[in-house]
């Protein structure tokens, strides 16, 4: 086998390797983050957002994983000053919707009892 053929086979092997699922999840979440915050601010249930996210991106992020991504992205954006703005009032989203998210979770847990 010639060096050129080996190199071509090597390139084909590399192209077949997919990024880790964690990296794909991070990239998808980063891309969808602004819309996720908009929906959370509009009081759309997290469960519905997660289902739509997983369906749209072909992923299998769990509710706990979704919350971890959400918290990490909020923290990253707050540190960099890149918080998404409410389309209605122009206020930064994230902390207010975080409070609503936590209240929704407490309410949902109370319903199960």
């Amino acid at each position: 086998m010639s060096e050129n053929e080996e190199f071509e086979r090597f390139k084909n092997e590399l192209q077949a390797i997919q990024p880790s699922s964690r990296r794909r999840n991070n990239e998808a979440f980063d891309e969808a983050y602004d819309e996720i915050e908009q929906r959370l601010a509009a009081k759309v249930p997290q469960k519905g957002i997660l289902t739509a996210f997983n369906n749209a991106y072909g992923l299998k992020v769990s509710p706990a994983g979704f919350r971890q991504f959400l918290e990490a992205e909020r923290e990253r954006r707050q540190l960099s000053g890149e918080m998404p703005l409410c389309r209605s009032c122009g206020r930064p989203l994230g902390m207010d919707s975080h409070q609503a998210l936590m209240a929704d979770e407490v309410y949902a847990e109370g319903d199960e009892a």
Side-chain angles (χ1 to χ4, degrees), residues 65-93:
F66 186 83
R67 284 190 297 276
Q68 289 174 345
F69 283 125
L70 185 60
E71 291 303 317
E73 190 64 19
R74 282 177 174 163
E75 184 176 326
R76 185 188 75 75
R77 292 200 182 205
Q78 284 176 345
L79 291 173
S80 68
E82 299 175 28
M83 292 303 293
L85 301 177
C86 176
R87 293 180 184 140
S88 301
C89 67
R91 287 187 10 218
L93 296 174

Side-chain angles (χ1 to χ4, degrees), residues 10-23:
F10 173 67
K11 285 188 349 186
N12 289 336
E13 291 284 332
L14 286 178
Q15 289 175 356
I17 299 171
Q18 296 294 316
S20 71
S21 61
R22 181 81 175 172
R23 182 172 179 91

Side-chain angles (χ1 to χ4, degrees), residues 4 21 24 26 45 47-48 63 77 85 109:
N4 193 31
S21 61
R24 285 189 333 220
N26 280 332
K47 184 176 179 180
R77 292 200 182 205
L85 301 177
E109 289 172 10

Side-chain angles (χ1 to χ4, degrees), residues 39-53:
R39 298 295 101 214
L40 289 172
K43 306 285 192 234
V44 174
Q46 178 186 346
K47 184 176 179 180
I49 295 169
L50 175 58
T51 299
F53 177 78

